[in-house]
Amino acid sequence: MQSIPDLIAKKRDGKALSTEEIQTFINAVTNKTVQECQTGAMLMAIYLKGMTVAETQVLTREMMSSGEVMSWPDAWAGHVVDKHSTGGVGDKVSLVLAPALAACNCKVPMISGRGLAHTGGTLDKLESIPGFNIQQTQSEILEVLTSVGCCIVGQTEMLVPADRVLYALRDATSTVDSLPLITGSIISKKGAESLSALVLDVKFGRAALYKDLVNARELAQSLVTAGNSLGVRTAAVLSSMNSIIGRCVGNSLEVIESLETLKGNGPDDLMELVTTLGGVLLMMTGVASNLSEGKTRISEAVTGGEALSKFQAMMEAQGVTKETAQLLCSENADYYQVLRKSKTCIELKTQERGVVEDIDGLCLAHVLHKLGAGRSRTGERIKHSVGAELLVALGENVSEGSPWLRLHYETPAPTPEQMAQLQNSLVLASEENTNYQKRDLVQDILLPATNHIL
């Protein structure tokens, strides 16, 4: 058996690692028999030299097998599904999609993450609801899925332990942005969920990990290939991420917008993502015969109220009191009876008249992050009430002095520089000189088997 330094040298020199060599490395990481500096060196070698498709598939499989792999009742075969997003601003899709899928008779063991840097985390959003418990054992997850059909939880201690080590070191060694390492991290965790089907929302644009469609498509292809190699029917949706999804950014505000969406009052872009991602999953599992039917089924589950009922049941199953869950899901709910309200709200006003040509979602997210809506390091506390509401839409005509953003904050208050940054994130053009053109949110859909792009 080759030593760890030999394996590092081989990858450093640009050579492909064998299945046995990748197994040796992942076993050493899992069993903590490799020095941290050696693990960091291997990550840097992979980052610089890359991996073949075959290497990436082996890495993913070995990471998945480093801990427990979930198992489900035979009766659920073909209907256990999940979704993963590569991260965006205002991305509350999971909160609407999971209960909508459950309403369509799918089982959704959604294992989600926390926010880091400018990207919000699904778990942080749900924890703004008093009592919501994201820590569930495998037996508790099984119980919630049996009674409700969906759950949204954090990664268990025994699920893909190799990724827990590698993920932390990738951040420390500046090797986060590596195609094989991203692929291995995402797909190994989803593979360990023993899914029938998986859909990936791969973002591209100013506020996404990948700024352009070409690189995002390369990531999508890598993820789809790795997922299918594990026997999980995997597809990817490529969606634009320049502004924000919906109208709200910030944990409590995104929960409110999700609940409003589940009550049939959701913004069009959010519903487009929910129905497209859900439609792809229903098509891949055979619940729907094609994408159009799948999208319709998901839309009807939301507008008909079945998804809202599932969300209420999920909240109660994961620790929220019945009274709190009922209040949040009631018509004309006073959300701030339950959710924390920020100490201060101010509205920013337009400085001229014109057409809303652009809103810089990344700039908005960075300011909110500094005000406490996000975290800079793992374990840091966040302020669930901090956030912002867009009061205008792209392409809208606005007059000078009209409110366009409502900012919710605690302490510290935004600095003059931060207020200027927020104001500059709004781009207006005159009606005569506007370049605004409504663009499709979903650009491509990469399906399994044929790798056909719709």
Side-chain angles (χ1 to χ4, degrees):
M1 182 184 293
Q2 286 180 289
S3 68
I4 295 296
D6 288 339
L7 301 184
I8 295 169
K10 186 174 181 180
K11 178 47 65 181
R12 177 202 65 197
D13 296 339
K15 298 175 183 176
L17 299 176
S18 68
T19 296
E20 294 73 21
E21 288 167 338
I22 294 172
Q23 286 174 338
T24 297
F25 174 65
I26 294 299
N27 285 337
V29 169
T30 305
N31 298 325
K32 297 183 170 63
T33 58
V34 60
Q35 296 178 49
E36 191 172 279
C37 62
Q38 292 175 319
T39 304
M42 178 63 88
L43 292 174
M44 185 58 73
I46 293 171
Y47 178 87
L48 293 173
K49 299 298 182 178
M51 280 184 149
T52 65
V53 171
E55 281 181 288
T56 303
Q57 290 177 5
V58 173
L59 176 71
T60 304
R61 187 176 66 245
E62 293 305 315
M63 288 174 66
M64 179 192 78
S65 303
S66 66
E68 68 181 15
V69 175
M70 293 179 167
S71 59
W72 312 113
D74 292 342
W76 296 1
H79 293 277
V80 183
V81 304
D82 199 1
K83 156 263 179 191
H84 177 84
S85 168
T86 57
V89 180
D91 189 352
K92 71 275 299 174
V93 169
S94 293
L95 277 65
V96 181
L97 180 58
L101 287 165
C104 294
N105 297 317
C106 290
K107 300 294 183 182
V108 192
M110 190 173 282
I111 295 176
S112 296
R114 297 195 178 280
L116 195 60
H118 77 275
T119 301
T122 298
L123 300 183
D124 298 317
K125 293 164 192 175
L126 287 170
E127 283 189 330
S128 66
I129 303 171
F132 198 102
N133 182 10
I134 56 93
Q135 297 297 340
Q136 305 284 330
T137 64
Q138 183 167 343
S139 61
E140 288 169 336
I141 290 171
L142 178 62
E143 190 176 321
V144 177
L145 290 181
T146 301
S147 60
V148 181
C150 63
C151 63
I152 304 178
V153 299
Q155 186 176 346
T156 67
E157 284 296 319
M158 292 307 296
L159 196 77
V160 198
D163 179 66
R164 198 184 305 277
V165 177
L166 295 180
Y167 192 89
L169 282 176
R170 281 168 58 205
D171 199 34
T173 56
S174 296
T175 55
V176 171
D177 189 11
S178 161
L179 200 64
L181 295 178
I182 293 171
T183 300
S185 179
I186 292 173
I187 300 299
S188 64
K189 286 179 285 204
K190 295 304 177 184
E193 292 178 30
S194 298
L195 300 174
S196 313
L198 168 67
V199 66
L200 300 141
D201 185 3
V202 180
K203 307 283 191 190
F204 68 93
R206 184 172 47 223
L209 177 64
Y210 286 101
K211 307 307 178 189
D212 62 84
L213 184 58
V214 172
N215 288 322
R217 186 178 284 120
E218 185 183 4
L219 172 60
Q221 181 64 71
S222 180
L223 293 167
V224 168
T225 300
N228 283 290
S229 76
L230 296 179
V232 178
R233 215 172 288 115
T234 307
V237 170
L238 288 148
S239 64
S240 176
M241 186 69 252
N242 284 315
S243 183
I244 75 169
I245 299 169
R247 291 291 186 99
C248 295
V249 186
N251 296 286
S252 291
L253 290 175
E254 290 188 48
V255 168
I256 292 171
E257 187 168 39
S258 299
L259 285 162
E260 282 299 306
T261 302
L262 287 165
K263 294 172 187 178
N265 306 317
D268 291 343
D269 58 344
L270 176 57
M271 279 302 296
E272 182 183 352
L273 284 173
V274 169
T275 57
T276 301
L277 293 163
V280 168
L281 284 172
L282 294 187
M283 179 176 63
M284 287 197 294
T285 55
V287 173
S289 58
N290 54 50
L291 180 58
S292 178
E293 182 190 339
K295 291 172 74 170
T296 299
R297 292 279 300 273
I298 294 292
S299 178
E300 289 174 347
V302 174
T303 57
E306 293 89 348
L308 179 65
S309 297
K310 290 291 185 182
F311 190 81
Q312 179 175 332
M314 181 181 73
M315 283 194 289
E316 292 179 29
Q318 291 189 233
V320 178
T321 65
K322 187 172 185 177
E323 293 73 23
T324 295
Q326 284 180 338
L327 190 153
L328 289 172
C329 294
S330 63
E331 191 175 353
N332 301 318
D334 179 0
Y335 295 113
Y336 291 117
Q337 281 187 253
V338 172
L339 305 178
R340 179 176 170 80
K341 188 174 185 178
S342 65
K343 290 180 181 177
T344 311
C345 274
I346 56 172
E347 290 184 350
L348 279 68
K349 297 184 178 179
T350 57
Q351 297 176 333
E352 57 186 356
R353 67 185 295 271
V355 177
V356 179
E357 201 164 83
D358 194 14
I359 298 169
D360 188 338
L362 183 60
C363 175
L364 190 62
H366 279 317
V367 172
L368 292 174
H369 177 265
K370 289 174 184 174
L371 293 176
R375 59 173 62 82
S376 300
R377 59 185 181 274
T378 303
E380 190 176 8
R381 290 179 66 87
I382 61 172
K383 296 169 182 172
H384 290 109
S385 59
V386 171
E389 298 173 76
L390 283 183
L391 306 177
V392 297
L394 293 176
E396 184 178 328
N397 284 286
V398 294
S399 56
E400 183 181 351
S402 59
W404 74 272
L405 184 78
R406 184 177 296 123
L407 182 65
H408 300 246
Y409 63 90
E410 303 277 350
T411 304
T415 64
E417 180 186 9
Q418 288 168 340
M419 293 296 288
Q421 288 172 347
L422 288 174
Q423 197 68 55
N424 290 336
S425 69
L426 175 70
V427 178
L428 297 178
S430 66
E431 293 181 43
E432 299 79 20
N433 298 320
T434 182
N435 293 316
Y436 176 75
Q437 287 183 320
K438 183 172 171 51
R439 294 175 182 168
D440 291 335
L441 182 61
V442 173
Q443 291 288 314
D444 289 322
I445 302 176
L446 188 62
L447 297 174
T450 60
N451 285 340
H452 175 59
I453 297 178
L454 295 181

